Amino acid sequence: MLEKIIRVVREAGELIRCAHDVEQDTTEKTSPSDLVTKYDVAVQNYLRRELLRLLPEADFLGEEGEHAALTQPWCFVVDPIDGTANFVRDLGYSNISVALVRQGTVEYGVVYNPFREELFSARRGEGAWLNEKPIHVSDYDPVHALVLSGSTIYDREMTDTHFRMLSKLYGQCADFRRFGAAALDLCQIAAGRAEILFECRLRPWDFAAGSLILTEAGGQITTLEGGEISALKSGSIFASNGRCHALLETLRD
Ligand code: IPD
Ligand code: CA
Ligand code: CA
């Protein structure tokens, strides 16, 4: 199944790589920060058709369009383009994210950045890979840690809380970055290139696939309260290489 999902995701990546005149085909959804292009819709339609061919009895939860009630044990959770604002501005840091979830547990995860030809994948209990190579989180301690951060673009009422937490982390770590694609950020931690990512609120398609890739690479992910994340529900995340997870305690007011 993992190989089959990877094949479909790579094919969908061609739609993104061959995109042109993206800005002309961009519209605002709920605010100037909330963008959708014709490619988000085209990639999702492609993924829906091809993934449901692999497992016709599965539900499909994708960012774009209507969200039907989930009634089946299996569910594909899909972000057709994670990092849409980066895509519109040609920053080369966007990805397709696909998780296959069984009764709330992510069994397979695939995150693909077609601009760098980097495909991250994981199968529960079997490990995580970047292209063909196994990956593992870093062993950096907090003072050497690079923190990745969101910015509450869709939940502006959380902005102050978010930046208070970022400030606390920045005071204890080496530096921070805001790259703009949460699924890919989780994979950077999985590959040992960064140590922490936190966001006050993400949607399931932003983190479902990346969460499995991270944990299979030896990392840890919880809510900001320290509880279990839910692959089918929106919520906060605090993800780390494991060694830096204790910093979560320092974020409490
Ligand atoms: C967004 C990106 C961003 C994160 C936002 C997400 P989108 O996804 O992952 O990094 O901070 O919360 O919604 O809208 O580009 O698919
Ligand atoms: Ca997203
Ligand atoms: Ca998206």
Side-chain angles (χ1 to χ4, degrees), residues 1 4 11 37 149 200 239 246-247:
M1 180 56 84
K4 289 178 184 169
E11 286 163 8
T37 72
S149 160
C200 288
L247 285 185

Side-chain angles (χ1 to χ4, degrees), residues 29 35 40 63-64 78-84 95 154 205-206:
K29 285 201 277 189
L35 307 176
D40 296 73
E63 178 173 13
E64 308 306 335
V78 168
D79 197 339
I81 303 182
D82 177 50
T84 296
N95 65 96
Y154 306 138
W205 45 80
D206 297 317

